[in-house]
Amino acid sequence: MAATSEQKRIFITSLRRSFGQLGFDIVHPFAAQSYNVTAHGQNNPMHTFNQTSTLSFIVGSNRTFWEIFLAQHYPFRLETEEEKKDPMDHYCERLIPKVTLQALQDANLYSDREGEELTTPFTVAFSHWHITVPPAGTPPPGSKPTGFVAPPVTILPVQHVAHAAGFAYFNPIAFLNVHPVYGPWFGMRSIVTVDLPYDVSDNELLLVTDDNQTGTYSVDSKLIESNPAFRTLLPEEIEAQNAALEITKNELLAKGWKADDWEEWVDFRQRLTNDRPDWQRWRYSEKQMRYHYQKKPRFLEECAIEFQQGLKQSA
């Protein structure tokens, strides 16, 4: 039975509310087919569930995520070595499939009640450079089906998906996506695809407002044709900027990756914002950037302890 427009509205509204509470302020809707028609998509397509236009979301975060994550980060609760290695990835893997399933349940598109079982197929592909086995979101052995479908066995190139989805322009020189509002200061956490039809009205439902900062700034998820970082520059100025970025990138790559060089990579990222002072408000804090590049669990733990102590003192 096809979902009603009201069920779909409830699903998207629930998804938005729950993701926002968890620090995932980016919920950008698009049709999976917009990526699948690209060269990358033809080689490694997203699930479409036989829809002609399949509802998908880029789920991500900006600078506001840091404090929300630190407030709930208690390393002693992490059980496996994989969880301890990257607690932030674990946070995403644990919660994004759970929130998606709960939103489907809120919309009466999923039920595990005896005799009333109902599922709506969905999949969650994460942006980190590995796929857990079994994939995060897989129901535990012996439990009732949830509708979860494993993502493609080859990791989706989230940067290319984001470009095709009209979320953020992919700069192939910097190998970074650039968003019209956030600039380079955001993180993409996962791609959620659901067996529901995508329609441009989904963007209207998810538009960021003064009262709700979770959602999307795109009214139609159409492709962003040019780099927002260079919107005020002349063609020859853009060419010069790209040439300078290429030189700096090659110098960094020639040195090889070293965690202690994280500030140099931040400076490289910052150069994409030189002509966009409006992006400065979204710039990560120094500690957030340090963890983003170094991925040191001990440093993350120290940040969480300091932040939680500050909360207690201000209470």
Side-chain angles (χ1 to χ4, degrees), residues 1 117 119 123 125 130 140 149 161 178 187 219 245 254 280 287 312:
M1 184 177 67
E117 289 86 354
T119 62
T123 188
H130 65 275
V149 177
V161 175
V178 185
V219 298
L245 282 171
Q280 194 64 20
K287 290 180 179 179
K312 290 178 182 178

Side-chain angles (χ1 to χ4, degrees), residues 24-39:
F24 303 118
D25 273 341
I26 294 169
V27 187
H28 174 83
F30 68 102
Q33 288 78 0
S34 62
Y35 163 72
N36 286 353
V37 298
T38 68

Side-chain angles (χ1 to χ4, degrees), residues 83-289:
E83 293 169 1
K84 296 173 183 176
K85 182 179 178 181
D86 197 325
M88 217 169 261
D89 282 356
H90 169 64
Y91 180 87
C92 298
E93 290 188 346
R94 178 170 58 89
L95 293 174
I96 292 176
K98 182 178 179 181
V99 164
T100 304
L101 187 63
Q102 182 59 55
L104 288 169
Q105 187 168 15
D106 292 344
N108 291 323
L109 295 171
Y110 165 73
S111 173
D112 62 356
R113 293 189 298 268
E114 196 69 38
E116 300 178 19
E117 289 86 354
L118 171 67
T119 62
T120 298
F122 72 97
T123 188
V124 183
F126 291 91
S127 60
H128 20 281
W129 298 101
H130 65 275
I131 296 177
T132 55
V133 180
T138 304
S143 62
K144 292 183 178 180
T146 62
F148 177 82
V149 177
V153 294
T154 303
I155 293 174
L156 289 173
V158 64
Q159 292 171 314
H160 293 284
V161 175
H163 183 86
F167 170 66
Y169 178 89
F170 177 62
N171 184 324
I173 296 173
F175 210 73
L176 287 169
N177 287 87
V178 185
H179 187 270
V181 175
Y182 307 122
W185 307 115
F186 64 94
M188 292 177 287
R189 304 296 177 179
S190 73
I191 301 164
V192 176
T193 305
V194 188
D195 187 8
L196 293 171
Y198 164 77
D199 185 80
V200 72
S201 62
D202 302 329
N203 293 67
E204 182 178 352
L205 193 59
L206 282 165
L207 280 177
V208 169
T209 65
D210 291 340
D211 297 326
N212 194 337
Q213 293 293 300
T214 299
T216 184
Y217 283 92
S218 174
V219 298
D220 53 19
S221 296
K222 289 184 178 179
L223 191 72
I224 300 171
E225 299 285 354
S226 58
N227 191 341
F230 302 149
R231 70 175 184 180
T232 62
L233 303 185
L234 298 172
E236 56 268 27
E237 292 175 316
I238 294 174
E239 186 177 349
Q241 288 268 26
N242 280 330
L245 282 171
E246 183 77 44
I247 291 171
T248 305
K249 180 187 72 174
N250 290 336
E251 290 173 349
L252 287 170
L253 292 175
K255 287 178 63 177
W257 169 249
K258 296 178 183 178
D260 290 339
D261 293 339
W262 67 274
E263 289 173 300
E264 294 183 37
W265 287 96
V266 172
D267 289 342
F268 178 68
R269 198 182 195 110
Q270 178 68 35
R271 289 178 62 176
L272 289 170
T273 73
N274 287 346
D275 297 290
R276 293 295 305 266
D278 54 313
W279 288 345
Q280 194 64 20
R281 65 184 287 253
W282 295 105
R283 191 179 193 269
Y284 292 171
S285 68
E286 293 301 308
K287 290 180 179 179
Q288 187 175 5
M289 284 191 285

